[in-house]
Amino acid sequence: MALDPITQAIRIQTERTSQMEHATPLFLTSSFTFEDAESMRAAFADETDDNIYSRFSNPNVQEFVDKMCALEGAEAGFATASGMSAVFASFMALLKSGDHLLVCNSIFGSTHTIVTKYLPRYGITYTYVSADKPEEWEAAIQPNTQMLYLETPTNPGLDIIDLAFVSELTQKYNLILNVDNCFATPVCQKPIDFGAHLSVHSATKWIDGQGRVMGGVVVGKKELIKEIYLFCRSSGPALSPFNAWVLSKSLETLDVRMERHAANALKVAEALENHKAISWLKYPYLPSHPQHAIAKKQMKNGGGIVCFELKGGLESGRTFLNNLQMLSLTANLGDTRSIASHPASTTHAKLTEQERMAVNITPGLIRISVGLEQVDDILQDILQALNNV
Ligand SMILES: *Cc1c(COP(=O)(O)O)cnc(C)c1O
């Protein structure tokens, strides 16, 4: 019976044990045993898929990966301890000294640090290209460019990159298209359908969805995932089986959760768009979003993040956070609980003003991760905080 990916994310399950459990048990074991020398030899020779050691593979981790592959329409995947280890592994396994990486300039802060501080130490160079000028990207491709890395929607500016357009570009120049799909989640956007070779995630965010565990995952082309697996098997950013168990359960509700997150976010965006304390507001599914048409084409909904710029800049940002009564001030997103953040004074505070502007972090930028509370309560809190900045 052919099952829809959303059904598969609910129904894929580790083989039942003799206990006939309904929910998958936790496989908290560091290693796995063998009946005899021959089966152990065969496992080490990759002649079987038997688990050997939880740094390499584990049933809970594999269940989570299998569900992610179903949702993303991917051939294979590998899960890691955090989103950053997934991003890092996708670079280290597939780039080498002398290679060049093309990167869209609106990326997560730690990804920026890896690209600009660590990769150059290994002889991997990079060029940033502008999220709002994809027509200029082709000119930045060099003979040694290996990969194009981007986020869409971008964090935290919510720029939308046209996946079909960049896929054509990467095909023309034979580059790996590596997309951080964290903000949209696979129930809202499937980069592989548009030609991406890899889709990476921080599972810590919407996939967990309840602010409990860290995790990351890369899915995509089998031959690329094989390299990532071999790198991770040796370097060891393994996802804990407990976290994998939590994340696998979370995938069973991802679609219904994201539908409500997005519905709440759209209502918040519509209600705030013309507020007098705000100079602009962005939400992918608002017609005023500069790339609204692209968002409609490649995303099933607008996602759960709304961002806006306060007229008063940096100080207003701080006042706004202080005024909030219900929304959480925390360094996370994608939770059942709504969260407000002010990147210029927190996540991106270490960057210079110039560096912040280069990645579109304006002084009064506020990012709201819209939760699952009743939307009127969310709005009430944001409005009273805005009215007093
Ligand atoms: C949080 C985040 C990451 C990093 O993930 P961790 O799980 O925190 O390591 C990468 N990309 C984006 C877009 C993120 O929001």
Side-chain angles (χ1 to χ4, degrees), residues 46 48 82 164 206 242-243 296 318 337:
D46 288 332
T48 66
S82 68
W206 302 107
F242 176 79
N243 289 9
K296 282 273 186 184
R318 295 163 63 93
R337 302 168 171 200

Side-chain angles (χ1 to χ4, degrees), residues 109-375:
S110 298
T111 310
H112 168 80
T113 304
I114 290 181
V115 167
T116 58
K117 183 172 172 187
Y118 293 104
L119 293 187
R121 290 189 190 177
Y122 300 93
I124 299 157
T125 54
Y126 66 92
T127 302
Y128 271 129
V129 286
S130 220
D132 53 1
K133 294 194 191 75
E135 68 279 5
E136 292 178 3
W137 292 15
E138 186 164 7
I141 296 173
Q142 303 176 8
N144 59 340
T145 306
Q146 270 297 327
M147 181 185 283
L148 171 59
Y149 181 85
L150 60 91
E151 296 175 13
T152 183
T154 64
N155 177 23
L158 297 184
D159 292 308
I160 307 290
I161 313 296
D162 188 334
L163 288 170
F165 173 82
V166 291
S167 161
E168 221 169 276
L169 199 62
T170 53
Q171 269 171 40
K172 184 170 165 192
Y173 291 91
N174 203 20
L175 314 180
I176 298 167
L177 177 55
N178 188 357
V179 176
D180 183 331
N181 197 27
C182 172
F183 264 39
T185 84
V187 295
C188 171
Q189 172 175 277
K190 298 177 198 294
I192 290 168
D193 281 357
F194 293 89
H197 304 102
L198 292 173
S199 175
V200 301
H201 282 277
S202 167
T204 317
K205 311 291 170 54
W206 302 107
I207 289 176
D208 172 54
Q210 289 145 92
R212 300 165 299 183
V213 302
M214 306 287 301
V217 59
V218 197
V219 301
K221 285 253 171 272
K222 213 179 201 155
E223 63 273 17
L224 301 177
I225 296 297
K226 176 93 188 288
E227 291 302 318
I228 291 168
Y229 161 72
L230 291 173
F231 173 77
C232 291
R233 170 177 165 144
S234 296
S235 58
L239 177 64
S240 131
F242 176 79
N243 289 9
W245 182 88
V246 171
L247 294 170
S248 180
K249 269 285 165 208
S250 287
L251 285 181
E252 296 179 18
T253 57
L254 183 64
D255 187 58
V256 284
R257 284 187 287 112
M258 290 316 295
E259 238 173 62
R260 178 65 74 85
H261 280 294
N264 280 357
L266 181 61
K267 283 183 193 153
V268 166
E270 283 170 345
L272 299 181
E273 191 173 17
N274 298 312
H275 195 281
K276 61 182 190 321
I278 290 174
S279 52
W280 53 258
L281 177 145
K282 266 199 217 164
Y283 182 68
Y285 259 42
L286 276 189
S288 60
H289 189 290
Q291 296 104 22
H292 176 65
I294 304 168
K296 282 273 186 184
K297 189 177 68 169
Q298 65 193 32
M299 297 171 74
K300 195 173 90 178
N301 57 51
I305 307 280
V306 176
C307 71
F308 53 81
E309 178 72 15
L310 290 170
K311 282 182 182 159
L314 197 72
E315 259 327 294
S316 291
R318 295 163 63 93
T319 309
F320 174 77
L321 290 191
N322 284 334
N323 288 349
L324 288 167
Q325 291 171 13
M326 181 184 81
L327 268 68
S328 310
L329 310 185
T330 181
N332 198 12
L333 63 92
D335 198 311
T336 52
R337 302 168 171 200
S338 297
I339 297 165
S341 70
H342 179 222
S345 71
T346 58
T347 47
H348 293 69
K350 285 199 194 82
L351 276 63
T352 63
E353 180 76 41
Q354 203 181 1
E355 283 177 315
R356 274 200 294 273
M357 289 312 287
V359 291
N360 299 325
I361 308 285
T362 43
L365 181 70
I366 297 290
R367 182 186 74 192
I368 308 284
S369 169
V370 181
L372 299 181
E373 303 98 336
Q374 286 295 301
V375 70

